Amino acid sequence: MPDDRAVDDRAQKVIVQDVVIRYERAGFAVTAVEGLSLSVRDGEFVAVVGQSGCGKSTLLKAIDGLIPVASGYIEVDGRRVTRPGPTKAMVFQDGRLLPWRTVLGNIMLPLEGRGVPKAEAHDRAMALVERVGLTRFAKAFPNQLSGGMQQRVNLARALVVNPQVLLLDEPFAALDAQTREYMQQELLNIWERDRVTAVFVTHQIDEAIFLADRVLVLSSSPGRLRREFVIDIPRPRQLAIKRTPQFHAYEDAIWSEIGAFGGDTSGAPVQPVVTSGAVA
Amino acid sequence: MTAGLPAEAAGLPVGLAGTPSNVTVLARRRGAPRFTLQLISVVGGLSAWQLFAMSGIVPPLFLPKLSDVLVDLWNLVSTGKLNQHLLASGIEFGGGMLAALVVGIVVGIGMGASSRIDKLLVWWVSALDATPRIAFAPLLIIWFGIGLESKMVLVFISGLFPILLSTASGVRTTSRELLEMAESFSIPRLMQFRAIILPGAVPFIITGVRLGITRGLIGIVVGEMIASTQGIGWMLSNATDTFNMVRVFALIIVLAFVGVSLTTFARWLERRFDTWRAV
Ligand SMILES: Nc1ncnc2c1ncn2[C@@H]1O[C@H](COP(=O)(O)OP(=O)(O)OP(=O)(O)O)[C@@H](O)[C@H]1O
Ligand SMILES: [Mg+2]
């Protein structure tokens, strides 16, 4: 991969260095992540793929500061992460919306938590409701929304705090294929505006390639960085690029990387048929 | 679509039978006989009572005529006698329930949120909850006299525990996922409580209140029957002592009406707040 890309001049926004994460439960410990090192540059969109249980969610939660590292360290903006903070925001796989609050109320929650005055919180949340295309549903409750709409609220709730680092944990995994593709495009359109640093965890290889500047492949149990792929496809991207030979070549390369160590691809999508072409 | 099945079976075109307007018609047709059945049941039952009492098979002391009971009820209402005693019972019930609500919710939240408070109180709460509340009635009358206060306290301890226990379990069952989300967005503790834990517990609290109301109603009638100077329970025991069976039946009808009204109200509240529990 070429090294002279503009991307590489940007400052390191997130640094994960030799990180070990263990879960203690009833006396015995499970090592979820071991010796993981990676970094994300400012404004970079990085996708993380790997088999189920390899520690992707754990990594995201640790970057967010929800769980501590047993050894190694995580830095955001050069500062050690010890707990969640105002510069980071998480989009959870399961919506985690408050069922008793409206769409608007859910998006206002993080602002209220920060003591933003009600009127200002309302206006900022409303602006995001519009940005994710839910204006007509601002007063609806989550159980009145489709899965795709709920995930937009989930995304809006994270974006409303103007995070510098956006952490997304399989936000589209529960959606049907069509809605998922639609949401991928929506996410990119929204992201194009201020190109906030993003770490996007997913099982879908094509989703990772379509969205990301770089795809990191984690090895399974315990999680380590197996390999990374720089996705050299120009932005802004449209869904049509998924049918280009270049895209298929990336898919092919990442699939063979996953196949090289896993073997077990149960629960993962069927390998796509590669037509022709090589990585540009 | 279930509404389409009978039509299919009957060989009708499904698309036609399954239109929304047809579904509404079906529902309406199904609703009407249900109401008619209820009406038949009530009117039929009451007529049977009247006819049976008129037949003279049983002496009036066992079963007075419904017509006599209704006349007595009308007299009670028109002379204001019933109102006066209902008011007394209402004050006892209202005061006791209000205190039960406040204490039950506050202590319930404490026990649900802090395992230390829970450990401190759990034995007392379980023991008192398991004891039939009526057993306290004689004691309360000795402590608080035969006036309104003893009954108020009886309603309080009757309604308290269901409210307290379901509030505590409502607070305890707050979703871990929602709390982790709140943590991730650095929502302060107090706001987590106000915006997440409490609203999540509301349906549990309402269920507790419904149970509390039922138990409080029992408490008030029995408490007044044991020792008092006024109230519906006092009227009831007075009528029994003088073998005034017409009056006894009139008062039972009043109590049935009050009980049904209160539980209907509580169920309505429960349903209102249930819309978000069912997510
Ligand atoms: N709360 C927990 N307590 C104990 N072990 C846990 C906990 N959460 C995760 N683990 C373990 O840590 C490992 C990594 O889990 P994690 O959820 O990070 O995987 P993942 O890559 O996100 O998987 P998936 O793709 O299925 O979401 C797994 O072995 C899992 O069993
Ligand atoms: Mg996960």
Side-chain angles (χ1 to χ4, degrees):
Chain A
M1 298 295 156
D3 274 331
D4 54 350
R5 301 168 70 235
V7 172
D8 291 346
D9 299 335
R10 292 175 294 190
Q12 303 283 4
K13 190 78 178 173
V14 179
I15 297 174
V16 175
Q17 192 65 49
D18 300 318
V19 158
V20 178
I21 301 170
R22 290 198 187 90
Y23 287 106
E24 302 271 356
R25 195 185 262 174
F28 82 104
V30 182
T31 305
V33 172
E34 188 164 47
L36 180 64
S37 298
L38 58 90
S39 59
V40 185
R41 288 172 190 279
D42 194 12
E44 197 181 13
F45 197 127
V46 164
V48 178
V49 299
Q51 289 179 14
S52 186
C54 75
K56 304 183 295 295
S57 299
T58 304
L59 168 68
L60 271 199
K61 285 180 187 174
I63 296 175
D64 195 26
L66 284 170
I67 46 181
V69 297
S71 79
Y73 62 88
I74 297 176
E75 281 180 3
V76 171
D77 279 326
R79 274 190 297 276
R80 292 284 173 102
V81 171
T82 51
R83 65 182 119 96
T87 54
K88 296 167 288 188
M90 178 91 93
V91 180
F92 294 92
Q93 171 172 352
D94 46 337
R96 302 198 183 182
L97 304 175
L98 301 182
W100 45 84
R101 280 197 175 209
T102 60
V103 165
L104 191 65
N106 267 288
I107 300 173
M108 281 168 73
L109 181 80
L111 297 175
E112 288 169 30
R114 264 158 223 208
V116 174
K118 259 253 151 67
E120 191 196 330
H122 177 277
D123 293 348
R124 278 173 67 180
M126 203 58 215
L128 262 143
V129 168
E130 278 159 27
R131 220 163 119 195
V132 297
L134 286 178
T135 314
R136 283 195 314 122
F137 296 88
K139 296 228 157 60
F141 286 89
N143 62 354
Q144 298 169 308
L145 304 180
S146 69
M149 289 157 117
Q150 289 184 17
Q151 284 308 70
R152 283 171 203 226
V153 181
N154 194 358
L155 182 63
R157 180 179 59 191
L159 291 173
V160 80
V161 298
N162 291 326
Q164 294 178 24
V165 177
L166 187 60
L167 307 166
L168 307 102
D169 191 359
E170 305 190 41
F172 308 144
L175 307 180
D176 62 274
Q178 219 174 332
T179 314
R180 194 189 305 137
E181 294 228 311
Y182 183 70
M183 290 296 292
Q184 289 165 5
Q185 183 71 68
E186 288 277 292
L187 174 64
L188 270 198
N189 294 347
I190 290 169
W191 180 80
E192 282 294 344
R193 258 184 52 154
D194 19 52
R195 295 206 174 190
V196 53
T197 310
V199 183
F200 188 104
V201 161
T202 178
H203 272 123
Q204 306 284 130
I205 307 294
D206 72 313
E207 182 169 87
I209 300 168
F210 176 65
L211 295 173
D213 298 315
R214 210 150 40 100
V215 176
L216 309 181
V217 181
L218 296 195
S219 66
S220 54
S221 47
R224 278 201 183 86
L225 182 58
R226 172 81 191 192
R227 227 188 119 174
E228 63 169 79
F229 294 84
V230 175
I231 308 300
D232 215 354
I233 301 177
R235 294 181 189 275
R237 297 174 184 168
Q238 302 300 321
L239 282 169
I241 64 159
K242 287 193 178 183
R243 289 189 292 276
T244 61
Q246 186 191 16
F247 195 91
H248 289 313
Y250 279 125
E251 275 185 321
D252 200 22
I254 294 174
W255 268 112
S256 62
E257 184 60 38
I258 286 181
F261 63 89
D264 173 26
T265 48
S266 56
V270 181
Q271 182 170 344
V273 182
V274 177
T275 43
S276 66
V279 179
Chain B
M1 191 196 280
T2 43
L5 279 176
E8 235 172 331
L12 290 171
V14 176
L16 214 76
T19 57
S21 64
N22 274 14
V23 174
T24 342
V25 169
L26 270 179
R28 224 178 279 144
R29 253 185 232 147
R30 215 176 289 137
R34 215 178 282 152
F35 178 71
T36 316
L37 275 181
Q38 288 173 0
L39 201 70
I40 289 173
S41 154
V42 172
V43 172
L46 293 179
S47 315
W49 171 4
Q50 174 72 7
L51 290 175
F52 189 64
M54 275 167 65
S55 72
I57 298 173
V58 290
L61 194 59
F62 269 69
L63 187 70
K65 279 182 283 194
L66 173 63
S67 52
D68 291 344
V69 171
L70 291 179
V71 169
D72 190 52
L73 190 57
W74 173 247
N75 284 337
L76 279 178
V77 173
S78 58
T79 57
K81 210 172 160 193
L82 183 68
N83 281 0
Q84 174 204 331
H85 288 282
L86 262 183
L87 184 69
S89 295
I91 290 171
E92 296 166 346
F93 183 79
M97 274 317 276
L98 197 69
L101 264 176
V102 172
V103 176
I105 291 175
V106 168
V107 178
I109 286 172
M111 284 179 73
S114 148
S115 66
R116 233 177 258 158
I117 297 179
D118 186 65
K119 295 268 153 34
L120 211 61
L121 296 179
V122 68
W123 283 100
W124 289 99
V125 169
S126 327
L128 289 174
D129 180 53
T131 315
R133 247 40 55 82
I134 298 311
F136 293 99
L139 198 62
L140 294 178
I141 284 156
I142 291 170
W143 284 349
F144 299 99
I146 59 171
L148 298 182
E149 296 83 356
S150 57
K151 262 66 72 180
M152 227 179 245
V153 178
L154 190 58
V155 171
F156 169 69
I157 61 170
S158 301
L160 176 65
F161 296 102
I163 297 173
L164 192 159
L165 288 170
S166 53
T167 301
S169 70
V171 168
R172 235 175 261 131
T173 52
T174 308
S175 139
R176 273 171 192 283
E177 284 75 29
L178 287 185
L179 288 181
E180 192 182 52
M181 180 274 291
E183 204 66 38
S184 169
F185 284 108
S186 312
I187 309 286
R189 278 300 279 179
L190 201 69
M191 205 188 135
Q192 288 187 21
F193 217 82
R194 197 167 51 72
I196 297 171
I197 298 175
L198 266 192
V202 163
F204 290 79
I205 297 175
I206 305 272
T207 303
V209 170
R210 183 167 61 75
L211 290 173
I213 285 177
T214 317
R215 297 226 197 139
L217 221 50
I218 299 171
I220 202 148
V221 173
V222 179
E224 284 176 350
M225 285 181 79
I226 290 174
S228 62
T229 54
Q230 49 184 337
I232 296 291
W234 174 83
M235 289 178 88
L236 197 58
S237 94
N238 220 21
T240 318
D241 290 347
T242 55
F243 294 103
N244 185 350
M245 292 316 272
V246 173
R247 178 62 51 83
V248 170
F249 274 93
L251 292 171
I252 288 176
I253 290 178
V254 170
L255 280 172
F257 183 75
V258 171
V260 167
S261 311
L262 280 176
T263 43
T264 305
F265 169 69
R267 276 191 196 285
W268 174 79
L269 263 186
E270 210 173 12
R271 252 201 315 275
R272 236 191 87 101
F273 284 102
D274 225 21
T275 45
W276 74 55
R277 181 153 61 176
V279 173

